[in-house]
Amino acid sequence: MEFTISVDYPFSLEYSLESGQAFRWQNTGSWWVGVVAGRVLKMRQEGDLLRCASGSDDVDASFVRDYFKLDVRLEDVMASIMRDENVTKAVQTFYGLRLLRQEKWECLASFVLATNANIPRIRGMIQALCARYGKPLQFEGIEYHEFPGPEALSMAPIPELRECGLGYRAEFLRQVARSVDEGRVDFSELSMMGYEDARAALLRKLPAGKVLPGVGLKVADCALLYSFDMDEAFPIDVWVARAVSKLYPDLARAAVAKTFASPHSKLSARDYERLSARLRSYFGPFAGYAQQYLFMAARSEGTPQGGAPKRTPTSRGR
DNA sequence: GTCCAACCTGTATC
DNA sequence: AGATACAGGTTGG
């Protein structure tokens, strides 16, 4: 199935796919190829045209429009978050960046894996998991894999998961998979709640322990922002914390001063809460978009490593 | 309630 | 070559 979508609104395929929301897209020269909801999707942007191809015939324009949230009026979003020149600049630099509407399970699982890892590593873990547990898909003579469902992962032996490079995250992922598989969290219920309630539900503790171990404030915010359409969620990772402390010292104040005081102390739960609440009220109902633009800006600027690869490939010379 | 070290491991950097 | 630092944090003490 091949089709074209015309875009007469702000949209950048590249920025949207490279903004660290989704981990499975690959740039193969002139095309982006990803697996979305069990379908291989190949895309490229040519000015105001979006060329799409997929092996599945149920992948059509509305499928793509849904995933990229193309019906969101980004002009309105931008206008609403541009409260000062910092965001304004980031919004202009990454003009057309949109939040995606990802699959809920994949998104939650991915961000459980993302803790204390960097993006190349996260991609590697997910790639390995998909290759091992995901249903194979063929497209243009190449094999791809679905993201494995909760059922498959809940049964996976821990050593096997570790072989995928998960490390200590293996236990978390399996338990999360089990909780989802056994219905202790219900995504359709969550999606009907407000942001605060949904987040509380994700963080829920039972007498037996956490329903979703490995899901803390930041992971919950990512899941809600990237797959539940909760645009006010404002995940704060180290990059955003850096950006915010630099650009909004008044908002960040106590919280981040502490973070920088000692070498690698992270934001405490309390500071995270306080800071993200302030940022939500500062940026408004689309605060999550502001977060994404600021994240991109921070990464493109002060990258200790990992932002713009300035190195030539080390083919392990010898 | 809050603070802190420990946690796997790939990659970059020295 | 070998060591160390650091990653889109969370957990248990």
Side-chain angles (χ1 to χ4, degrees):
Chain A
M1 184 111 178
E2 289 185 33
F3 54 96
T4 301
I5 297 174
S6 75
V7 291
D8 55 348
Y9 35 72
F11 178 61
S12 164
L13 181 64
E14 184 181 347
Y15 289 150
S16 301
L17 294 180
E18 278 191 334
S19 58
Q21 314 172 55
F23 300 104
R24 296 197 66 198
W25 285 89
Q26 277 184 289
N27 190 329
T28 67
S30 50
W31 292 90
W32 287 94
V33 186
V35 177
V36 177
R39 286 101 165 153
V40 181
L41 178 57
K42 188 172 97 169
M43 297 182 64
R44 70 185 287 182
Q45 181 167 16
E46 297 171 356
D48 51 3
L49 285 185
L50 224 44
R51 299 189 50 195
C52 313
S54 172
S56 318
D57 20 314
D58 58 345
V59 171
D60 54 10
S62 73
F63 180 94
V64 172
R65 299 187 67 83
D66 182 72
Y67 181 72
F68 288 95
K69 301 215 263 191
L70 295 180
D71 294 325
V72 169
R73 293 180 49 91
L74 194 59
E75 303 94 323
D76 296 346
V77 172
M78 294 188 295
S80 122
I81 62 175
M82 293 199 297
R83 308 269 162 120
D84 59 71
E85 40 185 50
N86 296 324
V87 239
T88 300
K89 186 179 170 205
V91 165
Q92 286 165 349
T93 306
F94 299 100
Y95 191 80
L97 164 61
R98 282 170 180 264
L99 293 180
L100 308 173
R101 179 180 292 124
Q102 300 186 56
E103 272 194 293
K104 295 177 173 62
W105 160 247
E106 173 173 341
C107 186
L108 179 63
S110 296
F111 282 96
V112 167
L113 300 181
T115 66
N116 209 16
N118 53 25
I119 289 179
R121 170 115 194 259
I122 300 164
R123 296 174 64 95
M125 291 188 271
I126 293 173
Q127 165 58 34
L129 275 181
C130 291
R132 195 186 270 246
Y133 302 103
K135 183 177 141 198
L137 302 165
Q138 300 291 330
F139 180 63
E140 295 179 340
I142 301 177
E143 184 168 82
Y144 300 87
H145 295 270
E146 285 188 28
F147 190 90
E151 188 188 344
L153 293 180
S154 67
M155 295 184 309
I158 295 297
E160 249 182 60
L161 291 174
R162 282 177 174 260
E163 282 171 25
C164 297
L166 304 202
Y168 64 88
R169 302 165 193 80
E171 311 262 7
F172 293 162
L173 181 66
R174 192 171 72 170
Q175 186 52 49
V176 168
R178 190 160 295 169
S179 281
V180 172
D181 186 42
E182 293 175 356
R184 281 190 289 280
V185 285
D186 182 344
F187 291 149
S188 51
E189 268 178 38
L190 286 178
S191 53
M192 292 186 294
M193 300 177 178
Y195 164 71
E196 304 275 0
D197 290 341
R199 194 178 63 167
L202 286 173
L203 299 175
R204 184 162 56 116
K205 260 186 230 172
L206 294 175
K210 283 204 66 171
V211 175
L212 303 174
V215 178
L217 290 164
K218 192 269 180 182
V219 172
D221 274 337
C222 287
L224 294 175
L225 179 61
Y226 300 137
S227 66
F228 285 85
D229 286 295
M230 299 198 182
D231 297 330
E232 70 266 53
F234 199 106
I236 305 175
D237 55 51
V238 296
W239 292 99
V240 172
R242 275 178 208 148
V244 167
S245 69
K246 181 173 156 203
L247 304 176
Y248 304 97
D250 293 340
L251 286 174
R253 268 229 167 258
V256 182
K258 209 182 305 172
T259 303
F260 285 140
S262 60
H264 32 259
S265 85
K266 323 267 178 171
L267 225 48
S268 71
R270 180 157 184 270
D271 289 338
Y272 184 106
E273 280 280 34
R274 248 210 321 226
L275 181 53
S276 69
R278 285 184 192 175
L279 290 162
R280 282 198 300 278
S281 78
Y282 178 68
F283 287 112
F286 298 105
Y289 280 84
Q291 178 270 161
Q292 207 64 27
Y293 286 106
L294 293 173
F295 174 73
M296 287 290 270
R299 277 189 70 88
S300 69
E301 277 178 33
T303 151
Q305 37 103 335
K310 313 179 189 182
R311 269 167 37 79
T312 54
T314 11
S315 54
R316 68 174 203 81
R318 256 241 101 235

